[in-house]
Amino acid sequence: MNSHSLLKSLLILMLLVGGVTGHTLRAQSPVLQNAPARRVLSLNGSWNYIIDPYENGFYDYRREAFDQSKSGKGGYYDNQKPSSKQEPELIEYDFDKSAALQVPGDWNSQDPKLLYYEGTIWYKKSFTLAPKAGKRYFLYFGAINYESHIYLNGKKLGMHKGGFTPIQYDITSQLSPSGDNFVVVKADNTRRPNEVPTINTDWWNYGGITRDVFIAETPDTYISDYKVQLAKNDPNTVAGYVQVTGTGRANQSVTLSISEAGIKQSLKTDAEGRATFRLPAKKLVRWSPQTPKLYAVTLSSGSDAVQDRIGFRTIQTRGADILLNGKSTYMRGISIHDENPLIPGRARGEGDLRMLLTWAKELGCNYVRLAHYPHNETMLKLADEMGLLVWAEVPVYWTIAWENEATYQNAETQLSDLISMGKNRASIVVWSVGNETPLGEARLKFMTNLANKARSIDDTRLISAALELHRTPDNVVHVDDPLGEVLDLTTFNEYAGWYWGGSPSEITKYTFDIKYNKPVMISEFGGDALAGYHGDAETRWSEEYQEALYVNQLKMLGTIKNLRGMTPWILADFRATRRQHPVYQNGFNRKGLISSTGTKKKAFYVLQEYYRQMAQKYDGK
Ligand code: GCU
């Protein structure tokens, strides 16, 4: 048992024995791998909601949590109804007579009075599901931002922190035999200094149930987890494991089949229900952006079977080069937030996500940086399908509470959940442990531990983060952030021509002094432009200024001999509360190459031409 699971077990033991009150660490069943591929009952749609800024539905007037009281009752999660007309009890809420929010969807964009709301909102959904003998049921939330307390039929399932990773509970024993059930969620998007992210970010703090909700059904003994990928740096071997959970998990037969490749492997689980394997993979066509080949993979065990579509590729570095399937590649990327600018709020479904990635392909990308937090599981599958390499990231962003142990545990849990969700996606080649974090001993320890944790969970992908830089009066940009020692890539954000360095025409004076002999990736550069606002190359906020910035950035960056990729900031304008200029911003960060109405700005074509040249140079196409 590794240190993480030992710690987790100790924490769960503490909860069970010590009854830790208040914010208990979530204790949920093993996360069901690829849950969306299961037979599911969708709970998307209208959920009644109650706005509760005073958390009246969670605490009594002495600020004691109802769900930690002896009876465990009294909160909105009881969904109490008057028992008689004659002497109706005093009940000061009624979900069924309250308004509804659409799920998935942040609340900010669904009601003008919620645009800036930060606090608690309660959601309630009734559903009919009569549990069948021999089956298990998992309640799955794609994401709830930020802290959620989840109740089924008035009983607490658990608490979760983290606004961007899936949440699951085995609800088999809590379903009502009658089939009539209701789920209540307390969602709280309050920003707090010790959370991950911390109190200050440059994206809209969309609250609520922002991704899909469903109930997945499996047999009683089921395949809870699996990893099927090429072995580290060994293109001729498929390696991984299958985890079976349930009473019949031990010594269980499991079949792994990739029929198109003529693979049908019988495995046997050990006493813990785990089967590992290493298989010859000579016949597998490698996945790449040019040929995003996916294989139908079926894992079956007893009465359970789960299908996935998996690509096989290797990713590694050698000196200054990034090798994809052993061949040096250039990462023609763009940064993307989980937001479709054409609709208000968080991206809601496959259509939004497919549109964003189609824009990236149009730009000539083979790579996307999914900033600054775990994106939708569907986005990762679309990247596999459309042939886009992915940088996936946890929101360890800016001024995190580096000295706080609970903050570190939270970051590590979000990282583990991200890796668990994405480990079978060929598109993901980089796990990023954070962005633009200020130098310091505590930060270095925190981020180094996270990087080591990522590598210990998954050593088949590159580990990175957006590093810090500093400039000297001789116009040298120095990249010697000590965190770079433990990363596979030297990656940094630099805003010459916008935040520093004068106007775009002046930035080519800069040269770079980079400490590490590793591949260099520029994780961000860019500048704001209000689409349709025109001036000359010195007119800040104009399309021409942004265009000149891109022209000169590419010239300046071209002097970096180890440069092997970039993800300029950003594909599309996005909502950010910090961006309040009434003419140029209006609550949008305007660094998009595409505007909030979907029009391409002049700088789009500068980068598109550069990527055409890089594709010619590296891929000969
Ligand atoms: C930072 C940060 C981004 C932010 C951008 C900007 O580097 O990483 O999240 O939006 O710069 O200032 O526009």
Side-chain angles (χ1 to χ4, degrees), residues 36-67:
R38 293 294 186 160
R39 185 167 177 277
V40 302
L41 168 67
S42 173
L43 298 186
N44 287 350
S46 293
W47 289 53
N48 297 100
Y49 76 98
I50 297 169
I51 306 171
D52 189 12
Y54 281 62
E55 299 185 284
N56 196 40
F58 190 72
Y59 296 106
D60 64 18
Y61 79 122
R62 296 298 190 223
R63 202 78 182 159
E64 294 291 325
F66 290 116
D67 68 7

Side-chain angles (χ1 to χ4, degrees), residues 202 372 397 435-436 493 495 499 524 569 579 589 591:
D202 192 27
H372 283 295
Y397 180 98
N435 177 72
E436 231 174 55
N493 303 343
Y495 277 92
Y499 290 123
E524 290 180 34
W569 194 258
R579 307 297 178 171
N589 181 311
K591 294 186 181 67

